[in-house]
């Protein structure tokens, strides 16, 4: 097996040739991340076809309250939201960053379509697997909806969309995806968003709020082991795409939540001293018994942190929507 550009040709025998396209950013992450101390691999790469499937199962896990909380909020607030998005029934472009499977967005699409709102839907995702499925599903359910999917980087997509239409842009960044940023990255992200939007444009972000630490910890340490499988799938992806030999049974999942920093952190833990070959990178990786790979930060916010985030990036807080338990908030920022 050899890498040609970003393609790996896997000759099983002389007659069968399969070709797997590998994201060059993933190659880079594995090469550099496994050489760091402590080792790390970014959660950005969780979402291959299998990872997206496991994440869907996580969203239905009893401990993972985030999706249900946000679904509740959007369901309760959909009329109010449409009123804010298009106060006089004017047209708007609904841009969704990191659309995933769009479960919650479909709730909005359904309602907006029922209300005959004049809008286009532009889902943006770096995962082609997730985007293709979403687009097929939306086309089938709402054949007349104006659909503008982008398999692209968030900012590249926003800039392109800006050139195509002068309608108000309403950017959705749901599901607490914002929690995956480091604190300074989040401020930077919103500043960049601000620069690419026009006055009057809106951003609706889903923030998971700080609450009893045990509730948060359980959400990332579910009893069915879905979060564990989600983490381990990253090693399976490396095995498949980079011809490595990670023994998945030799790694465990470990989760911490610190109520002082608001960070839930996921780790993979090597259960023995072991050596792993990543053949496509010509790389040998050594693990001590108990050594970790850090894979994800899922940050939880306070109201004042969210207000500060808006302020620091130039936005004003135009709406605050929360569920009855006060677990989660969808917050509207106005440019
Ligand atoms: C999709 C990034 C919001 O951090 O809660 C779920 C991903 N990780 N369980 C999160 C995730 C472990 C999720 N986000």
């Amino acid at each position: 097996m050899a890498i040609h550009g970003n393609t790996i040709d896997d000759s099983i025998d002389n007659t069968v040739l399969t070709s797997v396209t590998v994201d060059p950013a993933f190659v880079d992450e594995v090469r550099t991340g496994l050489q760091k101390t402590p080792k790390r691999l970014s959660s950005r790469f969780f979402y291959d076809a299998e990872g997206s499937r496991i994440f869907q199962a996580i969203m239905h896990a009893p401990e993972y309250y985030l999706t249900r909380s946000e679904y509740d909020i959007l369901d309760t607030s959909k009329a109010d939201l449409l009123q804010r998005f298009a106060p006089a029934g004017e047209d708007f472009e609904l841009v969704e960053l990191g659309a995933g499977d769009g479960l919650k967005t479909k709730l909005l699409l359904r309602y907006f379509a029922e209300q005959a709102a004049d809008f286009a839907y532009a889902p943006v995702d770096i995962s082609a697997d997730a985007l293709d499925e979403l687009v097929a599903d939306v086309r089938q359910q709402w054949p007349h909806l104006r659909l503008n999917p982008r398999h692209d980087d968030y900012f590249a997509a926003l800039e392109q969309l800006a050139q195509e239409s002068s309608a108000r842009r309403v950017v959705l960044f749901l599901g607490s995806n914002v929690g995956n940023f480091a604190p300074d990255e989040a401020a930077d992200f919103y500043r960049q968003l601000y620069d690419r939007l026009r006055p009057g444009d809106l951003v609706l972000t889903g923030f998971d709020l700080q609450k009893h630490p045990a509730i948060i910890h359980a959400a990332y340490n579910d009893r069915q082991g879905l979060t564990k499988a989600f983490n381990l799938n990253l090693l399976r992806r490396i095995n498949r795409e980079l011809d490595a030999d990670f023994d998945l049974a030799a790694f465990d999942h470990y989760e911490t939540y610190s109520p002082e920093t608001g960070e839930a952190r996921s780790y993979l833990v090597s259960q023995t001293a072991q050596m792993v070959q990543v053949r496509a990178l010509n790389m040998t990786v050594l693990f001590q018994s108990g050594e970790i790979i850090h894979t994800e930060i899922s940050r939880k916010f306070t109201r004042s942190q969210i207000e500060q985030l808006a302020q620091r990036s130039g936005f004003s807080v135009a709406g605050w929507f929360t569920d009855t338990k006060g677990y989660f908030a969808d917050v509207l920022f106005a440019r």
Side-chain angles (χ1 to χ4, degrees), residues 44-84:
R44 261 189 76 189
F45 302 102
F46 279 166
Y47 304 90
D48 62 356
E50 176 65 3
S52 300
R53 199 190 59 75
I54 301 171
F55 181 57
Q56 303 232 354
I58 289 176
M59 290 194 288
H60 290 101
E63 296 93 339
Y64 197 76
Y65 60 84
L66 290 80
T67 310
R68 284 186 299 279
S69 297
E70 190 171 45
Y71 195 91
D72 267 15
I73 295 169
L74 298 179
D75 197 25
T76 307
S77 313
K78 58 197 178 197
D80 201 352
L81 286 170
L82 180 56
Q83 182 62 30
R84 310 286 188 108

Side-chain angles (χ1 to χ4, degrees), residues 34 38-41 221 227-229 231-235 246-256 265-274 276 286-296:
L34 293 181
K39 294 179 172 64
R40 57 156 301 136
L41 292 169
N221 205 38
T227 314
K228 177 178 178 174
N231 258 277
L232 285 171
N233 180 59
L234 198 50
L235 302 183
F246 277 103
D247 172 9
L248 270 58
F251 287 86
D252 196 11
H253 162 71
Y254 181 69
E255 188 73 26
T256 63
R265 287 177 165 256
S266 295
Y267 301 94
L268 288 161
V269 186
S270 175
Q271 314 213 69
T272 57
Q274 55 182 321
V276 176
L286 295 175
F287 288 89
Q288 309 283 323
S289 177
E291 188 176 346
I292 56 94
I293 308 173
H294 169 62
T295 56
E296 187 175 44

Side-chain angles (χ1 to χ4, degrees), residues 276-308:
V276 176
Q277 302 290 344
V278 186
R279 280 184 285 268
L281 299 180
N282 231 324
M283 190 174 156
T284 301
V285 188
L286 295 175
F287 288 89
Q288 309 283 323
S289 177
E291 188 176 346
I292 56 94
I293 308 173
H294 169 62
T295 56
E296 187 175 44
I297 293 180
S298 302
R299 183 175 303 279
K300 311 305 166 189
F301 295 82
T302 64
R303 184 167 182 143
S304 73
Q305 285 171 344
I306 295 167
E307 285 163 351
Q308 257 184 37

Side-chain angles (χ1 to χ4, degrees), residues 168-189:
R168 162 180 288 156
R169 273 164 299 158
V170 177
V171 178
L172 302 179
F173 192 40
L174 303 180
S176 194
N177 285 328
V178 65
N180 285 163
F181 291 129
D184 46 325
E185 281 176 351
D188 197 57
F189 177 78

